[in-house]
Every structure is written in C-alpha cells, then in structure tokens.
C-alpha cells in the first residue's frame, strides 16, 4: 500500500524555500500536505535570526507601546520573507507583502503576533509551488489553553479533504497556531509545537480513511534523531529506527528536544499510531530516522541512545507517616502546583519520596526553597525535608530495558554502566529504572553531564 504524507519543514528548512520546493514537488503523490514553520536561522549565516524570536520582540514592543520598534521589527520581518522568496517576481511579492502587512494590522491584542511567522510561510510557499493554502485548523479549548484533539482532527481532515476535492493536488497548511473554540482568538502551540500540528494532520487523515496509509515526514537540518547530544559527542550516529516510547525517552533534556522532533509529538504519534520519518532537508537522500510502534531488537546493541540533563533540583522527603496517610502524594503534588512548579519525577518508597522538578523560568532557587518550606509546614514534625540543587540525570534508552524482556539484557546494561562510569572516575548517586520504561536513569551530584554521556556513549555506541 502506497504511503501518503503530511510533510513538515522546520525553521532552518523554511529559510531555503527553493530547496524544500524541490523536495515536495519531486514526489507530489507522496507529499500531499505541506506545513512550514516560520523562517528560522539560515544554516549558512550564523548571524541570522529566527523570525519567531523577532515576533516575540514585536509583542514586547506592542505591550510597551513602542511604535518605532514595532515598525522596525515588522519591516525586518517582511524584508526577510521578500529576500527568501525573491524568485516569485515583483507582482506576486507585492501582493504577499501587502497580505503580511495586513496580518500585523489586523491582529487583535488577544491574538498575539507570533502566529504570523507560520501564516507568512504558508502564504508565500503555497504561491511558490502553486498549491492551495488553507491556513490553520487547530482548535484550542479556551478553558485551559490546550489543543482540543477531537475538534482539531475533525477540522483538519474536513478542510484538507475539501481542498483535495477542489484541486486534487498539494495543499499547504499551518501547523503552529489555531483558534480558541469559543472566543475565536488565535493561540499557538509553543516552541516546537509545529511538530505536534504535523502529526495531528496525518492522524486526522489516517482516521478519516482506513484504506489510506498516512504518515508524517518531519524535515529539519539534522540527519534524523541522533544517538546523543552533538555538543558533547563529536559527530554522533543517527538512529535508523526507534519506537515512539524510545523517542520520547530520548527527549529528556537533550538539547531541549533532541533537536529534530518535539518530545510531546512522539506521544501524540503513538496515541494515533502515526508512523514518523525524520529527515534532513539539506541531505534528503539520507534515510534519517523511522519512528513506529514497534521495531526489531538488535541483541548486539541494546542501547539506541543516551540523553540527559544537568541543573535539576530535587526535594527529598523522609516521613514515617507517609505510608499511613491517605492522599499523601496528592497533597504534596498540590503544594508544588500551587507554587507554580512542575514535577518531572516522583519516585517513592514506604517512608521516602523524592520530588524531581522539571525546570523552567519559574524554578528559581528562592521558589524551590519556598516549596520546601511549604512542605515542612504541611507535613509536620514527622517529616524531614532536604533540597538538592544542580543534579545531573542521564538516561540510557533501549526497548530491551523494559521489564519482561530478557532480564539478562537489563542487568548486563546496568553492570556495564557501573563499569564505564567507574573507569571515567564518576560517582553515580543512583542507577534506577521503572520496570515498564525503556530506559535506565543514573543521577550525579553537580554537573557531570558531559563526562557521563561521553563515557556511556563510548561504552554502548562506540
């Protein structure tokens, strides 16, 4: 059965529209729906700017009423698009520039402005390849600001199918923003959220016709998912095939989201069983990475990748009343939520609990200290509270580490981890694994991310 694809190009790819036009028009039967991020950094110009960053600066200028800065940013934004699409000619460019200027004029304060990047990319690129442009169909729940999946899936498949019916050709659609269900105000999915929009587009078409095989192809400036962070290991291998869950585990902190694909997009692809292909716009002949529900294990290589993160904060609780108190975990979680702090992990035993926080702008040292104080007051004299700042967590990932797979594999991997870390003169705090997870986590005091990842990469990947 032939595959059909919703194809999404990231910001660095969008900076080179002629290149991506060559990719999508080379096989129009495959590349039916095209989505673009706002123009990002030009890989040949390290001084170039992400246009989404420029739009964030525009929002700040608008809030402060700085009309001069707003004009300057708008002109720079439009000039970047005019330059990238110079091949369109004077008449088409004039029309598109006017259309983009009107986006700035017509945006309501409640809409914000960062959505304009994707809208401009869609309008310009659809003109370049002669495709129908249908904007965005994501729907947000205005009660919580989250994507309404059911409404979004219906809206996307309906709009795309209608466009197919009228043209039979390729369609260009925006993946990054949508509208509140009730108010109609524009909302964006956040950094990397266009990956989520791309997956949902494929999911909508997959669900509406089970006789068609829809996949998502995600293009960036990277040869698929890498086995580890290239800022730590020189020229790491790309991974040919991972499961959705392995991909999600590899997104633990590795240069934000493993560079090529957003961690939450893995979860959504798994939910709707949408196969994902992650490829390089600038090396399109490279196979990249395939992401699916299942894959064949390689017993000689049980570890597919290594990820990690430094600078994590944790709160340790020792309380002899923990085991006997109804709703203990719920009470602790609520206090963290009330302080605006997100919990990443919460391992616990009978009398002990560890709250590992997720990071973020709100997670200052004072905020962590305030949370520890609030927990002391909540839990009373039986509880002992301690704060550990700046931990390193490293994750070794592979599906054969899941409990129920050959136990010798998991035990062997953990033994090799100890040996490699000892040889590198690194002292782990703990090595642990949730039985149902395809990863083993090792913690360190302080920032040991680089030497830990390098030593484990050398041991398992070579």
């Amino acid at each position: 059965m032939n595959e059909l694809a919703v194809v999404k190009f990231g910001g660095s790819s969008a900076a080179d529209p002629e290149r991506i036009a060559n990719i999508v028009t080379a096989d129009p039967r495959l590349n039916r729906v095209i989505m673009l991020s706002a123009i990002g950094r030009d890989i040949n110009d390290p001084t170039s700017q992400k246009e989404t960053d420029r739009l964030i600066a525009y929002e700040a200028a608008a809030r402060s009423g700085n009309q001069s800065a707003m004009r300057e940013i708008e002109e720079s934004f439009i000039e970047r698009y005019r330059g990238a699409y110079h091949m369109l000619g004077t008449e088409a460019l004039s029309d598109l520039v006017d259309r983009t200027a009107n986006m700035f004029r017509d945006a309501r304060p409640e809409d914000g402005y960062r959505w304009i990047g994707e809208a401009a990319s869609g309008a310009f690129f659809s003109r370049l390849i002669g495709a129908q442009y249908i904007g965005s169909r994501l729907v947000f729940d205005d009660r919580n600001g989250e994507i309404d999946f059911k409404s979004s899936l219906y809206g996307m498949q309906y709009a795309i199918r209608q466009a197919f019916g009228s043209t039979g050709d390729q369609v260009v659609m925006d993946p990054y923003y949508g509208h509140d269900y009730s108010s109609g105000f524009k909302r964006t999915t956040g950094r990397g959220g266009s990956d989520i929009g791309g997956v949902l587009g494929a999911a909508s078409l997959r669900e509406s016709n089970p006789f068609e095989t829809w996949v998502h192809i995600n293009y960036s400036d990277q040869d698929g998912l890498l086995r580890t962070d290239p800022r730590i290991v020189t020229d790491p291998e790309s991974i040919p095939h991972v499961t959705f869950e392995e991909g999600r585990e590899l997104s633990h902190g590795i240069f934000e989201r493993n560079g090529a694909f957003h961690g939450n997009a893995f979860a959504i692809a798994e939910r709707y069983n949408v196969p994902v292909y992650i490829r390089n716009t600038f090396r399109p002949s490279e196979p990249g990475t395939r992401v699916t529900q299942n894959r064949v294990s390689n017993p000689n290589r049980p570890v597919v990748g290594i990820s990690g993160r430094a600078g994590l904060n944790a709160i340790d609780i020792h309380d002899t009343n923990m085991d006997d108190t109804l709703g203990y975990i719920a009470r602790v979680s609520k206090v963290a939520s009330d302080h605006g702090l997100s919990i990443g992990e919460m391992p616990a035993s009978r009398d002990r609990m560890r709250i590992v926080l997720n990071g973020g702008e709100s997670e200052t040292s004072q905020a962590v200290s305030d949370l520890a104080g609030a927990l002391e007051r909540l839990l009373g004299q039986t509880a002992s509270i301690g704060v550990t700042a700046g931990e390193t967590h490293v994750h070794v990932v592979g599906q054969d580490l899941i409990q129920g797979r050959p136990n010798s594999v998991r035990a062997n991997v953990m033994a090799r981890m100890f040996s490699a870390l000892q040889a590198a003169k690194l002292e782990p705090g703990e090595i642990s694994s949730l039985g149902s997870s395809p990863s083993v986590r090792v913690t360190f005091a302080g920032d040991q991310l680089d030497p830990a990842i390098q030593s484990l990469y050398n041991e398992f990947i070579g």
Side-chain angles (χ1 to χ4, degrees), residues 362-385:
S362 62
E363 196 179 303
T364 62
S365 57
Q366 185 60 53
V368 176
S369 178
D370 289 346
L371 173 58
L375 289 170
E376 272 189 336
R377 292 188 294 274
L378 171 72
L379 302 175
Q381 296 182 0
T382 61
S384 172
I385 310 290

Side-chain angles (χ1 to χ4, degrees), residues 354-417:
R354 177 154 241 248
I355 303 170
V356 182
L357 299 172
N358 239 347
E361 293 181 4
S362 62
E363 196 179 303
T364 62
S365 57
Q366 185 60 53
V368 176
S369 178
D370 289 346
L371 173 58
L375 289 170
E376 272 189 336
R377 292 188 294 274
L378 171 72
L379 302 175
Q381 296 182 0
T382 61
S384 172
I385 310 290
V387 176
T388 304
E391 280 191 345
T392 295
H393 289 196
V394 174
H395 299 260
V396 173
V397 179
Q399 68 176 5
D400 286 334
L401 302 178
I402 297 173
Q403 192 170 15
R405 303 272 179 155
N407 286 333
S408 59
V409 173
R410 197 167 173 213
N412 180 258
V413 166
M414 295 177 80
R416 289 173 64 186
M417 289 173 67

Side-chain angles (χ1 to χ4, degrees), residues 29 34 39 48 153 196 243 296 369 439 441:
R29 171 74 176 78
I34 300 102
I39 288 179
S48 60
L153 290 170
I196 295 171
T243 67
V296 177
S369 178
S439 73
R441 184 194 67 181

Side-chain angles (χ1 to χ4, degrees), residues 137-342:
R137 291 298 187 276
L138 287 179
V139 178
F140 289 77
D141 186 334
D142 41 10
R143 295 169 298 181
N144 56 23
E146 301 293 329
I147 295 175
D148 181 331
F149 289 123
K150 184 177 180 180
S151 298
S152 295
L153 290 170
Y154 177 77
M156 294 174 94
Q157 67 93 1
Y158 181 78
I160 294 169
R161 295 281 182 203
Q162 270 205 323
F164 285 164
S166 63
T167 67
D169 295 320
Q170 293 169 309
V171 172
V172 176
M173 190 175 200
D174 296 331
Y176 173 70
Y177 73 93
H179 303 81
D180 275 344
Y181 184 82
S182 299
S183 70
F185 294 137
K186 290 184 173 65
R187 294 289 178 263
T188 59
T189 56
R191 290 283 191 184
S194 55
D195 294 343
I196 295 171
V199 171
L200 284 174
S204 73
L205 296 165
R206 196 175 178 88
E207 289 206 331
S208 64
N209 188 341
F211 298 103
E212 294 176 342
T213 303
W214 284 90
V215 301
H216 175 56
I217 304 177
N218 191 287
Y219 281 94
S220 71
D221 56 6
Q222 186 173 291
D223 291 339
L225 295 180
L226 302 179
R227 293 196 186 272
T228 197
D229 191 334
R231 299 174 303 181
I232 298 173
V233 174
T234 303
D235 196 23
E237 296 179 12
S238 59
I239 310 172
H241 193 182
V242 294
T243 67
F244 296 123
E245 193 171 11
E246 286 173 324
R248 175 76 172 156
E249 288 292 325
L250 283 170
S251 68
H252 275 296
I254 187 166
F255 50 109
E256 296 182 337
R257 54 186 187 90
N258 205 349
F261 201 62
H262 195 290
N264 289 339
F266 286 114
I268 295 169
E270 180 175 29
R271 176 177 177 178
Y272 295 105
N273 196 23
V274 175
V276 176
Y277 298 86
I278 303 172
R279 294 177 178 161
N280 191 337
T281 301
F282 305 93
R283 287 152 53 96
S285 61
E286 292 295 314
T289 300
R290 183 177 174 220
V291 191
T292 57
Q293 194 80 44
N294 302 292
R295 69 174 178 85
V296 177
S297 292
N298 180 352
N300 297 317
R301 200 171 228 188
V303 172
V304 297
I306 301 158
S307 186
R309 187 176 175 190
L312 291 167
N313 297 307
I315 295 177
D316 293 290
I317 303 173
H318 181 205
D319 189 351
T320 54
N321 280 347
M322 187 181 296
D323 188 44
D324 300 321
T325 304
L326 185 65
Y328 193 98
I329 292 177
R331 293 166 66 203
V332 169
S333 299
K334 184 177 186 305
V335 173
S337 176
D338 291 344
H339 280 72
L341 298 177
S342 173

Side-chain angles (χ1 to χ4, degrees), residues 158 289 435 442 455 458:
Y158 181 78
T289 300
V442 56
S455 65
N458 292 343

